[in-house]
Amino acid sequence: MTTATVPLTSTASVRTPWTEFWRKFKRQHAAVIAGVFVLLLVTLAILAPWIVPYDAENFFDYDSLNARPSWKHWFGVDPLGRDILSRLLMGARISLTAGFVSVAVGAIVGTVLGLVAGYREGWWDRIIMRLCDVLFAFPGILLAIGIVAILGGGMINVIIAVAIFSIPTFARLVRGNTLSLKHLTYVEAARSVGASDWTIVMRHIFPGTIAAVVVYFSLRIGTSIITAASLSFIGLGAQPPTPEWGAMLNEARSDMMTSPHVAIFPSLAIFFTVLAFNLLGDGLRDALDPKIDRR
Amino acid sequence: MKIKSHSMLFAALAVGAAMAVPAYAAKDVVFAVASQFTTTDPYDANDTLSQAMAKSFYEGLFGFDKDMKVIPVLAESYTASKDGLVYTIKLKKGIKFHDGTDFKADAVKANLDRVTNPENKLKRYGLYNNNIAKTEAVDDSTARITLKTPFSAFINQLAHPSTVMISPTALAKYGNKDIAFNPVGTGPFKFVEWKQTDYLKVAKNENYWQKGLPKVDSITWKPVIDSNSRAAVMQTGEAQFTYPLPYEQAETLKAKADLDVVAAPSIILRYLSMNTQQKPFDNPKVRQAIAYAINKEAVAKIAFSGYATPADGIVPEGVEYSVKIGVMPYDVAKAKQLLTEAGYPNGFETELWSGYNHSIAQKLTQVLQQQLQQIGIRTKITLLEAGQRVEKVESWQDPATAPVRLYYIGWSSSTGEADWAIRPLLASDSWPPKLFNTAYYKSDKVDGDIKSALLTTDKTEKAKFYKDAQESIYKDAPWVPLVTEKLLSAKSKRLSGVYTMPDGSFDIINVDLK
Amino acid sequence: MLQYIVRRLLGLIPTLLIVAVLVFMFVHLLPGDPARLAAGPDATPATVALVRQDLGLDKPLPEQFIRFATGVLRGDFGRSLRTKRPVSTEIAERFMPTMWLTVAAMAWSVLIGMAIGTLSAVWRNRWPDRVGMTLAVSGISFPAFALGMLLMQIFAVQLNWLPTVGADTWRHYILPSVTLGAAVAAIMARFTRSSFVEILQDDYIRTARAKGLPETVVVVKHGLRNALIPVVTMMGLQFGFLLGGSIVVEVVFNWPGMGRLLIDAVDMRDYPVIQGLVLLFSVEFILINLIVDVLYAVINPTIRYR
């Protein structure tokens, strides 16, 4: 574990940590496919404004409400006469950004807190965990309303709400790992040779928590997309006509019995995106964790 | 008397699942409704649903039939004095409360005294205290009510579902607050139990004064909050009646062999108000441009799946003294021209708020946005959640800084009369936070008409004042009247005698189950 | 250990105090005047003033807080602004339905999740793993409200096998607990798997294998035990989430629980109910976290609590 990134066997010439990671990662076909999917999605999201067949918000055709998929509208038309494909593509920008940013903020803050709490224990631990308890005690919806109350409605606040309620989860997770790692022999050894706290945490403990954080990060991106949808469901999500996927699915709610395609395509978009992030997360995890070397 | 909304958190109802019943089948009807009851005390309720439910055990002196016409209930007849100040009401005889006591004029006095006493802190205090000076029991079957000022809509107010007769004995026994958990009235059903989270149950009043009624043994009122779930319980037979049914599901439920889908007329008007005190909406041309730019047919078709008709005036048909003026035409070219004349050839940006955040409002505001964008008006939609609505619209203290611009909302006059359809919404002394004039509309002419109409008891005079008021409002266009919606309910084919009334309340007295 | 538990329990007090202050400030920060909401849009200012007085909201904030705090100490959480009933009654009535739903969801999802996770780890990258993880991912890839409505449509409306709404019999529990537990099962499966995979690579497992112990013994005795740590953390977290976070499921299935109470309370700005619920949620969380920490020590004796 201390020799984390140093290859033990070598057939290739020079092995940087990066090539080592890539060597392991590319053997996992599912993860590679998922990675390609995510890249494709990100590309589509970036290019969306130039490639959408119709204007996602302002194009409308009142004569073909809820029209089924056709050559003209590949994914059909929604109850307001808009092209679903165009909205999904534009929505990819919003949903991906929201998912990534909110989880990133939550993960960074949470990891730092978790490391401090787990490593220092004592008062630090108590205070940080207490803060987490307090955060936890506020159910997401309350937090969301509070944030909307203070900052006003809309997507940004959904992102902030999701970020905030990701923090304690990451903090507890990292703390749990830190607690068990710091009593392992190599950490005790590092301490006994007089390594500074900073070195111990950054070199020996933090890497040991990455795997768990990455796994949870991947899960959480999906969760945050779904949380945004749930906020829409209780009336606190993105404001219309934002084509955020969750909001699209929520808007399709009452029409989905009569015109299933209105709900199916946003569901599939959410489903495959979450799936891809999870598979990718698994792959990253296996490739990042030096202990795992499967033959 | 209350803003109507039909989705997750407001209005509705459904009738009777037969719960595993013995051989001779006690007829239990389950009404599934869209939100929880706030109270059983109509004087302390502000939601149509709680008041509608309370009609299973309470009755008023007057009431509305299913077309919102005033009918006497516990009253036999009434006379008003010439000056419009004194109302003498003859009561029916031989009616008993559920606790066995007789219904007499002292009950009228006890109930009206209770609500007009500020000590009791009842939510309907304002409705009565403004006009009732005193109530007297002349003899057992005669009550006399004296008003502070003439108020010609007074009988309509007595017919309002909050004016009910609670047993004075029970009131004395349980007190002002606990009466809400132990309602005792004269109605067709007796209160059985209220499990707040789950249901409220009432059972047949064997000694009901109208012979042959009620025809079922009990009613279970069950709140089912999610509208799709309400459609589901109808299809599984767990409930026999539901209102409101989501418009999008009408076709699905119509196809079921054992269900009827009923679309009933309403007096619920949906409109878009414009803040006339703020630029650019202070310019009548801008307001007219907006009115021309909106295709009301499209609004009805998309947001209400066709279960709404374009509004043809300021006060919807079915409300007394309403005047049919005509649908504001949809004419984009004219709208653009008006906007250019007003000095906004390229349009402008503004806020579009909705007082509800349910799915109909979601669709409707987006339709409005699409249409306004055609004439260059770019809007930012915000669906206000209840607290935000109160904060940013209803309780905003200073009219000069009110942030509301375009505002989508609705209203139904629960007194069934033009006064309550115009005064709270358009009189200049009804600006928030007092009442609900979200357009901050001020017209001396309209104010004058409203005042004069209230002072006269002559029906033709009144009709003239109200006609004049409605026409000037229409011309000034502080609003775009959008649609009058239809009330969509679903019921089991076995069920009869339940109607949705035009204000979104229910008429259940004849309910029967085959 | 006992000392540790006692200390943690004492630690409850400041946390709850912080929560109480925060939640009190928080509810008063919420936009919207509860008196106005309760009185309704057609109420006159005089009526609103009366209602405000009735609800005790006309007093200065510090006074309201002191009243709230001293009330809580005596076990009195005040009365609901909406129904006028004691908050404790309101919450008590809804506590058990939510509790049982949570337990039901938790029970099946932990069992299934751990089973799938273990199988996936043992047969890593083979078909049981792929099937298991696909299932797990599906569980978290669908918003609960959509899953709930789909299940209701299929099993209640179309097939008529199960009831749609309410919480009367065990049959009422099936659909909501499946909806609620799907995400948890998925998360449990993934955590068990990743934790297990890591453990199975460890030296002592290799040693155990080298000693010639049967694979089942290796997996169950040595692997499962150590793999449990992150799994237990996750379980605790998820349990807490479910207790407070079943809002969406409770709305879809019309569940008479605390989630719906909270939604209604927030909607009507029912301050005392929000305060009571949040305090309750935080007590639950703290207790669950304490249990989790104690379980850590039980599972892994190398963790020392001072």
Side-chain angles (χ1 to χ4, degrees), chain A residues 24-25 27-31 279 282-283 285-287 292-295, chain C residues 116-133 193 197 200-201:
Chain A
K24 286 179 175 175
F25 183 74
R27 284 188 307 206
Q28 302 173 65
H29 304 294
L279 294 175
D282 275 352
R285 177 194 175 283
D286 287 1
I292 295 169
D293 198 4
R294 49 200 204 74
R295 279 178 215 201
Chain C
I116 291 179
T118 311
L119 292 180
S120 295
V122 173
W123 281 283
R124 195 151 90 90
N125 295 326
R126 308 240 293 278
W127 70 265
D129 182 22
R130 304 214 193 283
V131 173
M133 283 304 108
R193 177 184 180 273
V197 164
L200 289 181
Q201 312 282 333

Side-chain angles (χ1 to χ4, degrees), chain B residues 325-354:
Chain B
I325 305 176
V327 179
M328 287 198 189
Y330 170 53
D331 186 341
V332 176
K334 180 131 189 215
K336 276 188 178 149
Q337 184 205 328
L338 281 164
L339 213 53
T340 312
E341 285 170 21
Y344 299 94
N346 300 316
F348 51 86
E349 282 188 21
T350 192
E351 298 276 340
L352 169 57
W353 291 356
S354 158

Side-chain angles (χ1 to χ4, degrees), chain C residues 102-167:
Chain C
T102 307
V103 169
M106 206 64 203
W108 80 260
S109 58
V110 166
L111 277 180
I112 294 199
M114 285 181 64
I116 291 179
T118 311
L119 292 180
S120 295
V122 173
W123 281 283
R124 195 151 90 90
N125 295 326
R126 308 240 293 278
W127 70 265
D129 182 22
R130 304 214 193 283
V131 173
M133 283 304 108
T134 310
L135 272 176
V137 175
S138 314
I140 44 169
S141 303
F142 215 48
F145 72 84
L147 179 63
M149 287 189 320
L150 190 69
L151 291 178
M152 188 192 281
Q153 192 63 26
I154 295 172
F155 293 100
V157 176
Q158 301 296 339
L159 299 171
N160 226 333
W161 288 352
L162 293 165
T164 46
V165 298

